[in-house]
Amino acid sequence: MCDSKGPSSRFEELYKYNGRLEHENAEKRRARLLAEQRLAREREVDARRPGLLEEIEGQTEHGGETMECHQDLPPAKHKSHRKKSTFSRLYSNKVQLSEWMHERPDDFENWIVVPCPVGKRCLLVLHDMSAIAYYKGGRSITATRTNFRHFRGTTVLDCVYTEKPRHFYVLDVLIYRQLNLVHYECQFRFAWIKAKFDEDNLSEKFTRKPPERGGIGLSLLPTYDCAQPESLATCWSHYPAFPNDSPRLDGYLFYHKESHYIHGRTPLVTWLFQFMLTDVLQLPSGMVNRGYLDHKPASYTGDYAKYIGEFERRRKKRKLRRRYPAKKRKTTHFSIDDAAAVEPANHLALWEAMEAAPLDSDDEDLRPKELDAVRELEMEG
C-alpha cells in the first residue's frame, strides 16, 4: 500500500496534461515554421527547386499530363458507360491539411476562421475551358466544361466539393492564372482570391449549365478576422451557417494570417467542430449560437482533449480495418448522401464519410480498385 498523496499512477498526470503538451508543441512548431517561411523564397531561388507552377509548365512543355475534360453527363445505368477516374501525380499530395486546435492560440488575433461544409476536399484545376477536380491523393472526382473563353493560364483552387447540390466551395488559392501564390501569406491570398472572384465573375462563368439543369456551381467561402470581435460574432451568432442548412456545416478551419500554403499537414491551419468552439477558445456564454451546441455528440461532455484522443483512436482503428480487412467482413463505403442519415452522436461515421476531414482521410490508403468502387458509389447518388 502506498500512503503517498500523489497521483495513483504516473501515467495519470501524463494523460491529464496531454492536451497541454500537444498545444505547447504546436506553438513551438508554428513559431519555427513562421521563421522558416521568412527565408523560404530566398532558399527556393538559391536551390532552384521547382514549385507546383513550374511542374505544371514543365508537364505542358514536355507533353505530359494534359487537361483533358470529359463531357459532364449524368451517370449511365450500365456500369461500362460510367466515367472512370484518372490519377495525376502532379496534383497528388498538394492539399494543405490541418491539425486539431488543442487550446486557444496565444496570438489568436493573428488568425482567420473559415466555415467548412461537409464535402470532398479537393484541388480544382482550371485551364482553358476545362475544369478537373482531384482528391488530395491525386485521383479525379469530376470534370466539366466552363465558359472561361479568355481565361488564360492555369488556376488551382483549394475547394470542398459537395454532391447535393453539385458545388465547389473555395477555401484557398494556390495558383491564379499562372501567378504562384503558394509562398504568399494567407491574409494576402484570401484578399487576392476574393478580389479576383468578383472581378473575373468566376461564379457566373464557371459552368455552361445552370445548377437546375445539372450544372456545377462555384462560390467563395466567407472568412472572418479573429482580431475583430464583431466579425467573430457575425460568424458564430447566426444559425445555420449556410442558407437553409445546405450545405451542412462540418466545422471551422483556422488559418494563421502569416502562413504560406504548405503541402501536407501544418500547425498553422487548425480545425474545430462547432460544438467545441466555446470550450477550446474560452468564449463568453452566448457568443456561439445554441443551435451549434445543441447538436453535439452524446459522447462529448466538454472534455475536448479526451474527445479528440478517443476520436483519433477510433479513426486509426478504422483505417487499420480498411487496410487489413477480414476475409468475411462486409465493408461499408460512406458517401455524402449517407452522411445525412448518420445520428449526431456517431460523429465519427459522419467525419469518415467526407473528404474535408481536418486530418488524414482514407482515400490514399485504399487500393485503386477500391477507389474506383468508392467513386462509382458516389456518382450513383
Side-chain angles (χ1 to χ4, degrees):
M1 176 179 289
C2 179
D3 296 329
S4 173
K5 295 183 180 180
S8 57
S9 168
R10 62 188 179 94
F11 298 106
E12 182 178 331
E13 289 297 313
L14 291 176
Y15 176 80
K16 180 178 179 180
Y17 292 103
N18 181 57
R20 166 77 61 178
L21 293 173
E22 291 189 18
H23 166 65
E24 293 175 350
N25 184 41
E27 290 285 1
K28 292 179 181 178
R29 287 186 290 126
R30 286 182 195 130
R32 176 176 56 81
L33 284 172
L34 289 173
E36 289 179 354
Q37 284 182 174
R38 296 184 180 98
L39 300 175
R41 293 179 186 174
E42 181 179 347
R43 289 203 310 269
E44 183 171 343
V45 171
D46 292 340
R48 295 187 179 182
R49 291 174 296 181
L52 178 57
L53 179 58
E54 288 74 20
E55 292 180 14
I56 294 173
E57 292 174 340
Q59 290 281 3
T60 303
E61 291 176 1
H62 294 88
E65 296 184 28
T66 59
M67 287 291 296
E68 295 180 357
C69 180
H70 304 285
Q71 190 67 26
D72 195 17
L73 298 174
K77 294 182 179 180
H78 196 275
K79 182 177 180 180
S80 62
H81 291 167
R82 290 198 185 103
K83 294 177 296 182
K84 292 184 178 181
S85 59
T86 58
F87 175 78
S88 171
R89 294 186 182 276
L90 186 60
Y91 300 107
S92 175
N93 300 319
K94 294 297 193 298
V95 176
Q96 181 171 252
L97 303 175
S98 63
E99 297 186 359
W100 289 100
M101 179 182 285
H102 289 276
E103 288 191 19
R104 182 187 178 105
D106 296 335
D107 58 344
F108 187 64
E109 68 280 358
N110 289 329
W111 293 73
I112 297 173
V113 59
V114 183
C116 185
V118 175
K120 302 286 183 181
R121 188 70 177 274
C122 63
L123 291 182
L124 178 63
V125 183
L126 308 176
H127 184 78
D128 293 334
M129 296 182 67
S130 300
I132 302 181
Y134 297 92
Y135 284 120
K136 75 172 188 287
R139 192 162 291 271
S140 64
I141 302 176
T142 187
T144 186
R145 292 287 183 182
T146 70
N147 276 327
F148 297 126
R149 299 185 183 279
H150 304 289
F151 199 74
R152 298 183 180 278
T154 300
T155 294
V156 182
L157 303 174
D158 182 352
C159 299
V160 177
Y161 174 64
T162 63
E163 280 282 358
K164 292 186 177 181
R166 301 180 69 198
H167 206 100
F168 286 102
Y169 294 90
V170 180
L171 281 168
D172 207 338
V173 57
L174 290 76
I175 298 171
Y176 195 85
R177 303 182 70 171
Q178 297 302 106
L179 176 61
N180 191 354
L181 297 168
V182 169
H183 295 300
Y184 286 82
E185 294 183 352
C186 171
Q187 193 170 19
F188 176 84
R189 296 197 311 272
F190 283 6
W192 177 275
I193 189 59
K194 178 174 174 52
K196 293 300 179 181
F197 204 89
D198 297 333
E199 179 182 327
D200 293 334
N201 296 322
L202 296 189
S203 181
E204 296 178 8
K205 296 180 180 179
F206 178 68
T207 182
R208 292 182 173 183
K209 297 185 295 184
E212 57 270 16
R213 293 180 53 195
I216 305 178
L218 179 72
S219 61
L220 185 65
L221 287 170
T223 60
Y224 301 91
D225 192 340
C226 293
Q228 302 176 8
E230 62 276 10
S231 179
L232 292 180
T234 301
C235 176
W236 295 326
S237 62
H238 64 277
Y239 176 86
F242 301 102
N244 302 319
D245 202 21
S246 178
R248 290 178 298 109
L249 176 71
D250 184 60
Y252 291 92
L253 285 167
F254 294 79
Y255 293 80
H256 196 284
K257 293 178 181 178
E258 298 179 16
S259 65
H260 296 176
Y261 194 97
I262 298 172
H263 303 317
R265 193 183 303 181
T266 171
L268 297 174
V269 181
T270 57
W271 169 271
L272 285 177
F273 287 125
Q274 54 269 35
F275 53 84
M276 305 168 71
L277 291 171
T278 300
D279 298 319
V280 178
L281 300 179
Q282 303 173 13
L283 301 176
S285 177
M287 188 169 184
V288 179
N289 191 292
R290 289 297 309 176
Y292 299 123
L293 306 179
D294 291 341
H295 290 82
K296 62 183 178 181
S299 58
Y300 183 76
T301 60
D303 188 346
Y304 57 86
K306 182 179 180 181
Y307 179 83
I308 291 173
E310 178 63 16
F311 193 96
E312 282 299 286
R313 185 190 67 81
R314 295 176 63 187
R315 183 183 67 87
K316 292 176 181 178
K317 185 177 180 181
R318 182 183 181 86
K319 291 181 72 173
L320 285 174
R321 286 202 307 266
R322 286 191 174 187
R323 186 172 296 179
Y324 306 106
K327 292 183 179 180
K328 295 184 180 180
R329 181 179 294 154
K330 294 183 178 180
T331 302
T332 302
H333 297 285
F334 287 94
S335 68
I336 296 173
D337 298 332
D338 300 322
V342 177
E343 293 296 330
N346 192 8
H347 208 89
L348 176 69
L350 173 61
W351 189 62
E352 292 286 353
M354 51 83 181
E355 197 68 17
L359 306 178
D360 289 340
S361 58
D362 295 327
D363 66 290
E364 69 270 30
D365 295 324
L366 298 177
R367 291 181 292 275
K369 289 184 179 180
E370 292 173 321
L371 280 166
D372 292 337
V374 171
R375 183 179 180 279
E376 288 176 1
L377 287 172
E378 292 163 356
M379 293 307 172
E380 285 177 356

Short mmCIF file of all heavy atoms in Angstrom, two decimals, residues 19-42:
data_model
loop_
_atom_site.label_atom_id
_atom_site.label_comp_id
_atom_site.label_asym_id
_atom_site.label_seq_id
_atom_site.Cartn_x
_atom_site.Cartn_y
_atom_site.Cartn_z
N GLY A 19 -3.20 17.22 -23.58
CA GLY A 19 -3.64 18.30 -24.45
C GLY A 19 -2.75 19.52 -24.34
O GLY A 19 -2.41 20.17 -25.31
N ARG A 20 -2.33 19.85 -23.10
CA ARG A 20 -1.46 20.99 -22.87
C ARG A 20 -0.11 20.79 -23.57
O ARG A 20 0.42 21.69 -24.20
CB ARG A 20 -1.27 21.17 -21.37
CG ARG A 20 -0.14 22.09 -20.96
CD ARG A 20 -0.50 23.54 -21.13
NE ARG A 20 -1.62 23.94 -20.32
CZ ARG A 20 -2.10 25.18 -20.28
NH1 ARG A 20 -1.54 26.10 -21.03
NH2 ARG A 20 -3.15 25.48 -19.53
N LEU A 21 0.45 19.58 -23.45
CA LEU A 21 1.74 19.31 -24.06
C LEU A 21 1.66 19.41 -25.58
O LEU A 21 2.54 19.97 -26.23
CB LEU A 21 2.24 17.92 -23.65
CG LEU A 21 2.60 17.77 -22.16
CD1 LEU A 21 2.92 16.32 -21.85
CD2 LEU A 21 3.78 18.65 -21.80
N GLU A 22 0.58 18.88 -26.16
CA GLU A 22 0.42 18.96 -27.60
C GLU A 22 0.26 20.40 -28.04
O GLU A 22 0.76 20.81 -29.09
CB GLU A 22 -0.78 18.12 -28.04
CG GLU A 22 -0.57 16.62 -27.89
CD GLU A 22 -1.68 15.84 -28.54
OE1 GLU A 22 -2.39 16.42 -29.38
OE2 GLU A 22 -1.83 14.66 -28.21
N HIS A 23 -0.46 21.20 -27.22
CA HIS A 23 -0.65 22.60 -27.55
C HIS A 23 0.68 23.34 -27.55
O HIS A 23 0.99 24.10 -28.46
CB HIS A 23 -1.61 23.23 -26.54
CG HIS A 23 -1.63 24.73 -26.56
ND1 HIS A 23 -2.06 25.46 -27.64
CD2 HIS A 23 -1.23 25.65 -25.63
CE1 HIS A 23 -1.96 26.75 -27.38
NE2 HIS A 23 -1.45 26.89 -26.17
N GLU A 24 1.50 23.11 -26.50
CA GLU A 24 2.80 23.78 -26.42
C GLU A 24 3.70 23.36 -27.57
O GLU A 24 4.43 24.18 -28.13
CB GLU A 24 3.45 23.47 -25.07
CG GLU A 24 2.69 24.09 -23.88
CD GLU A 24 3.28 23.67 -22.56
OE1 GLU A 24 4.15 22.77 -22.56
OE2 GLU A 24 2.88 24.24 -21.54
N ASN A 25 3.64 22.08 -27.92
CA ASN A 25 4.44 21.59 -29.03
C ASN A 25 4.00 22.26 -30.34
O ASN A 25 4.82 22.63 -31.17
CB ASN A 25 4.31 20.08 -29.14
CG ASN A 25 5.19 19.50 -30.22
OD1 ASN A 25 6.33 19.91 -30.39
ND2 ASN A 25 4.66 18.54 -30.95
N ALA A 26 2.69 22.42 -30.52
CA ALA A 26 2.17 23.08 -31.73
C ALA A 26 2.61 24.53 -31.79
O ALA A 26 2.95 25.04 -32.86
CB ALA A 26 0.65 22.97 -31.77
N GLU A 27 2.61 25.23 -30.63
CA GLU A 27 3.04 26.62 -30.60
C GLU A 27 4.49 26.74 -31.04
O GLU A 27 4.86 27.65 -31.80
CB GLU A 27 2.87 27.19 -29.18
CG GLU A 27 1.43 27.39 -28.75
CD GLU A 27 0.79 28.60 -29.41
OE1 GLU A 27 1.46 29.27 -30.23
OE2 GLU A 27 -0.38 28.88 -29.11
N LYS A 28 5.34 25.82 -30.58
CA LYS A 28 6.75 25.86 -30.96
C LYS A 28 6.92 25.60 -32.46
O LYS A 28 7.72 26.25 -33.13
CB LYS A 28 7.54 24.82 -30.16
CG LYS A 28 7.65 25.16 -28.68
CD LYS A 28 8.42 24.08 -27.95
CE LYS A 28 8.52 24.39 -26.45
NZ LYS A 28 9.24 23.33 -25.71
N ARG A 29 6.15 24.64 -32.98
CA ARG A 29 6.26 24.33 -34.40
C ARG A 29 5.75 25.49 -35.24
O ARG A 29 6.26 25.76 -36.32
CB ARG A 29 5.51 23.04 -34.71
CG ARG A 29 6.23 21.81 -34.20
CD ARG A 29 5.57 20.53 -34.65
NE ARG A 29 4.30 20.33 -33.98
CZ ARG A 29 3.14 20.12 -34.61
NH1 ARG A 29 3.11 20.11 -35.92
NH2 ARG A 29 2.04 19.92 -33.94
N ARG A 30 4.70 26.19 -34.78
CA ARG A 30 4.21 27.35 -35.51
C ARG A 30 5.29 28.43 -35.59
O ARG A 30 5.52 29.00 -36.66
CB ARG A 30 2.97 27.92 -34.82
CG ARG A 30 1.72 27.08 -35.01
CD ARG A 30 0.54 27.73 -34.33
NE ARG A 30 -0.55 26.78 -34.21
CZ ARG A 30 -1.23 26.53 -33.10
NH1 ARG A 30 -0.93 27.18 -31.99
NH2 ARG A 30 -2.22 25.65 -33.09
N ALA A 31 5.94 28.70 -34.45
CA ALA A 31 6.98 29.72 -34.44
C ALA A 31 8.13 29.34 -35.37
O ALA A 31 8.67 30.19 -36.09
CB ALA A 31 7.49 29.91 -33.01
N ARG A 32 8.49 28.04 -35.37
CA ARG A 32 9.58 27.60 -36.23
C ARG A 32 9.20 27.72 -37.70
O ARG A 32 9.99 28.19 -38.53
CB ARG A 32 9.94 26.15 -35.90
CG ARG A 32 11.01 25.56 -36.82
CD ARG A 32 11.37 24.16 -36.38
NE ARG A 32 10.23 23.28 -36.32
CZ ARG A 32 9.69 22.68 -37.38
NH1 ARG A 32 10.21 22.88 -38.59
NH2 ARG A 32 8.66 21.88 -37.24
N LEU A 33 7.96 27.32 -38.05
CA LEU A 33 7.52 27.40 -39.44
C LEU A 33 7.45 28.84 -39.93
O LEU A 33 7.83 29.15 -41.07
CB LEU A 33 6.16 26.73 -39.60
CG LEU A 33 6.16 25.20 -39.60
CD1 LEU A 33 4.73 24.68 -39.55
CD2 LEU A 33 6.87 24.68 -40.82
N LEU A 34 6.97 29.74 -39.08
CA LEU A 34 6.88 31.14 -39.49
C LEU A 34 8.27 31.72 -39.71
O LEU A 34 8.47 32.53 -40.64
CB LEU A 34 6.14 31.95 -38.41
CG LEU A 34 4.64 31.67 -38.30
CD1 LEU A 34 4.06 32.39 -37.10
CD2 LEU A 34 3.92 32.10 -39.57
N ALA A 35 9.23 31.32 -38.88
CA ALA A 35 10.61 31.80 -39.07
C ALA A 35 11.19 31.25 -40.36
O ALA A 35 11.88 31.97 -41.10
CB ALA A 35 11.46 31.38 -37.88
N GLU A 36 10.90 29.99 -40.66
CA GLU A 36 11.41 29.39 -41.88
C GLU A 36 10.79 30.03 -43.13
O GLU A 36 11.45 30.19 -44.16
CB GLU A 36 11.14 27.89 -41.89
CG GLU A 36 11.99 27.11 -40.89
CD GLU A 36 11.67 25.64 -40.91
OE1 GLU A 36 10.70 25.26 -41.62
OE2 GLU A 36 12.37 24.86 -40.24
N GLN A 37 9.51 30.40 -43.02
CA GLN A 37 8.83 30.99 -44.17
C GLN A 37 9.45 32.31 -44.60
O GLN A 37 9.42 32.67 -45.78
CB GLN A 37 7.35 31.20 -43.85
CG GLN A 37 6.54 29.93 -43.87
CD GLN A 37 5.07 30.17 -43.59
OE1 GLN A 37 4.27 29.28 -43.69
NE2 GLN A 37 4.71 31.40 -43.24
N ARG A 38 10.00 33.04 -43.64
CA ARG A 38 10.59 34.34 -43.98
C ARG A 38 11.78 34.20 -44.92
O ARG A 38 12.16 35.14 -45.60
CB ARG A 38 10.98 35.06 -42.69
CG ARG A 38 9.78 35.40 -41.80
CD ARG A 38 10.20 36.21 -40.58
NE ARG A 38 9.05 36.52 -39.75
CZ ARG A 38 8.71 35.84 -38.67
NH1 ARG A 38 9.45 34.81 -38.29
NH2 ARG A 38 7.65 36.16 -37.97
N LEU A 39 12.39 32.99 -44.91
CA LEU A 39 13.53 32.75 -45.79
C LEU A 39 13.20 31.77 -46.91
O LEU A 39 14.08 31.38 -47.67
CB LEU A 39 14.70 32.19 -44.97
CG LEU A 39 15.22 33.09 -43.84
CD1 LEU A 39 16.29 32.35 -43.04
CD2 LEU A 39 15.77 34.39 -44.38
N ALA A 40 11.93 31.37 -47.01
CA ALA A 40 11.55 30.32 -47.95
C ALA A 40 11.81 30.72 -49.40
O ALA A 40 12.34 29.94 -50.19
CB ALA A 40 10.07 29.95 -47.77
N ARG A 41 11.42 31.94 -49.76
CA ARG A 41 11.59 32.36 -51.16
C ARG A 41 13.06 32.39 -51.54
O ARG A 41 13.45 31.94 -52.63
CB ARG A 41 10.97 33.74 -51.37
CG ARG A 41 9.47 33.77 -51.23
CD ARG A 41 8.94 35.17 -51.43
NE ARG A 41 7.51 35.24 -51.16
CZ ARG A 41 6.81 36.38 -51.14
NH1 ARG A 41 7.42 37.52 -51.38
NH2 ARG A 41 5.53 36.38 -50.87
N GLU A 42 13.88 32.94 -50.65
CA GLU A 42 15.31 33.03 -50.94
C GLU A 42 15.93 31.65 -51.07
O GLU A 42 16.71 31.40 -51.99
CB GLU A 42 16.01 33.81 -49.84
CG GLU A 42 17.50 33.99 -50.06
CD GLU A 42 18.16 34.80 -48.97
OE1 GLU A 42 17.42 35.42 -48.17
OE2 GLU A 42 19.40 34.79 -48.90
#
